[in-house]
Amino acid sequence: MKISDKLKDLQRWDERRPGFPGEHSLALGAGLLVMRRAGRSRSLVGRMLGRTLGTALLARAATGRDGPLGKRAPTPTDRVRDLLAQRAR
């Protein structure tokens, strides 16, 4: 199995599971801690990897499933897709 397939499986699992209160606060805190720790690293690779992981956690906190930016208003395209799906049934 390819890594991309495993990542897709992980994303599907994450979309199915219920969220829990404070999930985004934990992601925010973890991202800030990782970035702070990465800034203290002596190696360039350690700083880059730490900052990348920290940025990913911060983005997850902001745009995650139930986060403030994660819930978006339905677009006209979404509405058309829903109508077509209902008609197909």
Side-chain angles (χ1 to χ4, degrees), residues 4-24:
S4 61
D5 293 337
K6 291 207 179 261
L7 286 175
K8 288 178 185 176
D9 288 342
L10 184 63
Q11 286 175 340
R12 277 188 240 120
W13 171 82
D14 188 45
E15 289 171 359
R16 286 188 306 246
R17 72 173 181 80
F20 61 90
E23 179 176 356
H24 298 285

Side-chain angles (χ1 to χ4, degrees), residues 16-75:
R16 286 188 306 246
R17 72 173 181 80
F20 61 90
E23 179 176 356
H24 298 285
S25 299
L26 290 174
L28 175 66
L32 291 173
L33 285 174
V34 168
M35 289 186 80
R36 182 176 179 190
R37 179 75 177 153
R40 295 179 181 175
S41 177
R42 291 184 181 191
S43 71
L44 176 65
V45 174
R47 283 193 304 268
M48 287 175 47
L49 289 175
R51 288 178 180 162
T52 302
L53 177 61
T55 301
L57 286 168
L58 291 177
R60 172 66 181 198
T63 63
R65 292 180 24 237
D66 300 327
L69 299 178
K71 293 182 179 178
R72 62 178 177 84
T75 62

